[in-house]
Amino acid sequence: QALKPELDAAVARVAESQYFILGPEVACFESGVATYCGVEHGIGVSSGTDALIVAMMALDIKPGDEVITSPYTFFGTVGSIVRLGATPVFVDIEPNSFNIDVSKIEAAITPRTRVIAPVHLFGQMAAMEPIMELAKKHNLVVIEDAAQAIGSRQKDQPACSFGDLGCLSFFPTKNLGGFGDGGMVVTSHEAHANRMQQLRNHGMEPKYFHSHVGGNFRLDALQAAILNVKLPHLNTWHEQRRTNAALYNKLFEATGLTRSVEALEAGALNGGILLPTELPDNYHIYNQFVIYAENRDALIAHLRAHNVGCEIYYPLSLHEQDCFKNLGYKKGDFPNAERAASMSVALPIFPDLTTEMIHRVVDVIADFFR
């Protein structure tokens, strides 16, 4: 609402220009995001999922190739791998960060591995330095799935600046969200950038001449214009989310309900919750504020009965999804991911959340456990 006059003007500007797909608004946004992420190039595309697809197409990922990633993520991370005919290879997550457990990656590497694709889930980065060391050791490419993590940092280095390629989403619920779908691949590899610019437009360069078979992955000018208005405010919104998270942590600690990750692993939350953990060296942007809770489904019913918004991200680990059963995984293969799917719930964390609202959420949860 606060940006409505600027947003209305941006929409009107695009309508007046009649330049609706790609064009100067998109080029401006690509440059701004690349600079924000500390890389050289941005390639605007139609969604975060299409960002992953076009990134892997640029690397010529094909049937027989393997991509190591997390089983606990949004479907698009793994669906994009399978759509190219490649094989996702899952590695379990850390219970405290929800991100891929780096200590287990090397055991999953085979002669067919081409890519490691860590997901920076909920706004916190996976441990990138050891991932990059593994990639160098085994001559692998790293694609950062930062769909939920634009502006997150590790040792003060931005997400998407560690790996070879970084993929972003501008879905409306993201910290930087458009008025519909949108995404971007960012990279400092000029050859990859040039190829993705062709691939997003049916492999066409120059017009109506096609050197590759690409797809229609283009970003609309309308989304870019809206996001150009929002981008300068992103760091402020991150800080508001972090302030909200800090207040949640303070209030929950005062209730006596908080438990340790060791208690979670021992199955002994004992009528309590585990709060999100911001790991050392990380700057968490809290795209979601996700807790573990005993009796999670009953808690959700209680929250909704008291008009408190909440959501499950995600109710089923991807290795248990029907469409991936042919991968050969079974229940029990990734216990941390399965536990997260059965016990986690996201609480309101948006920037304009008021202090009174946060107190209300904590009171309703404390009442449930009492």
Side-chain angles (χ1 to χ4, degrees):
Q1 280 302 121
L3 299 179
K4 189 175 187 302
E6 291 178 76
L7 293 168
D8 288 345
V11 172
R13 186 172 67 247
V14 172
E16 181 69 22
S17 77
Q18 298 288 291
Y19 211 136
F20 295 119
I21 295 173
L22 298 179
E25 291 282 359
V26 171
C28 176
F29 183 55
E30 289 171 332
S31 175
V33 172
T35 299
Y36 185 82
C37 292
V39 298
E40 297 296 321
H41 307 282
I43 301 89
V45 295
S46 37
S47 70
T49 300
D50 288 340
L52 289 159
I53 290 171
V54 78
M56 287 187 283
M57 288 177 70
L59 299 171
D60 197 28
I61 300 301
K62 56 189 181 301
D65 293 337
E66 293 178 351
V67 178
I68 293 173
T69 193
S70 166
Y72 187 68
T73 176
F74 177 65
F75 182 86
T77 306
V78 178
S80 57
I81 299 166
V82 174
R83 278 191 55 185
L84 293 178
T87 302
V89 174
F90 294 131
V91 170
D92 206 1
I93 62 169
E94 301 172 325
N96 56 345
S97 72
F98 298 101
N99 286 329
I100 193 166
D101 187 338
V102 177
S103 70
K104 298 176 180 176
I105 291 177
E106 191 159 29
I109 295 172
T110 77
R112 295 179 297 279
T113 306
R114 290 281 312 282
V115 173
I116 303 173
V119 182
H120 304 323
L121 204 66
F122 303 149
Q124 175 161 229
M125 291 178 63
M128 288 308 300
E129 286 185 353
I131 288 173
M132 296 310 297
E133 289 170 8
L134 278 174
K136 183 177 181 181
K137 177 180 176 181
H138 295 276
N139 195 29
L140 304 174
V141 177
V142 174
I143 299 175
E144 295 180 60
D145 182 342
Q148 298 178 0
I150 183 172
S152 60
R153 301 194 298 270
Q154 197 163 86
K155 294 187 177 179
D156 214 33
Q157 185 174 335
C160 298
S161 66
F162 286 84
D164 299 276
L165 301 150
C167 295
L168 300 167
S169 169
F170 307 115
F171 187 78
T173 59
K174 299 297 192 289
N175 287 25
L176 182 63
F179 283 7
D181 274 318
M184 190 175 293
V185 187
V186 295
T187 182
S188 290
H189 292 255
E190 187 171 4
H192 292 336
N194 291 341
R195 190 165 190 209
M196 286 185 288
Q197 285 171 344
Q198 284 184 268
L199 290 169
R200 71 175 173 185
N201 195 22
H202 295 291
M204 183 166 60
E205 182 63 39
K207 194 171 184 179
Y208 302 133
F209 289 83
H210 303 262
S211 55
H212 308 288
V213 176
N216 181 2
F217 305 132
R218 301 171 301 208
L219 181 61
D220 292 341
L222 183 65
Q223 300 303 337
I226 288 160
L227 292 162
N228 276 327
V229 172
K230 287 186 162 190
L231 181 60
H233 301 275
L234 185 57
N235 286 345
T236 298
W237 294 336
H238 289 336
E239 281 299 309
Q240 289 174 304
R241 286 172 180 265
R242 287 175 59 80
T243 297
N244 293 342
L247 182 55
Y248 267 133
N249 290 338
K250 178 182 176 182
L251 295 176
F252 275 124
E253 290 287 353
T255 66
L257 290 174
T258 58
R259 306 288 185 263
S260 67
V261 69
E262 290 78 16
L264 175 78
E265 293 179 300
L269 285 187
N270 295 330
I273 64 172
L274 176 65
L275 294 170
T277 304
E278 183 177 47
L279 297 180
D281 299 322
N282 272 1
Y283 178 88
H284 198 325
I285 63 164
Y286 292 100
N287 190 80
Q288 286 97 356
F289 185 91
V290 179
I291 66 171
Y292 287 89
E294 288 187 335
N295 304 314
R296 189 269 311 273
D297 293 346
L299 172 61
I300 287 173
H302 180 78
L303 286 165
R304 289 176 177 164
H306 289 79
N307 299 313
V308 174
C310 56
E311 188 56 84
I312 301 173
Y313 301 97
Y314 300 93
L316 198 62
S317 186
L318 291 178
H319 71 286
E320 296 186 88
Q321 294 283 358
D322 285 345
C323 63
F324 295 141
K325 285 186 175 176
N326 64 318
L327 296 174
Y329 296 111
K330 63 185 186 302
K331 188 173 180 62
D333 283 347
F334 306 105
N336 291 339
E338 292 168 24
R339 179 171 50 213
S342 68
M343 294 183 68
S344 65
V345 56
L347 305 179
I349 193 66
F350 58 93
D352 292 332
L353 202 63
T354 66
T355 299
E356 291 75 20
M357 289 175 183
I358 295 171
H359 276 269
R360 167 76 173 154
V361 175
V362 174
D363 288 345
V364 170
I365 291 174
D367 180 62
F368 171 80
F369 283 105
R370 278 196 296 268

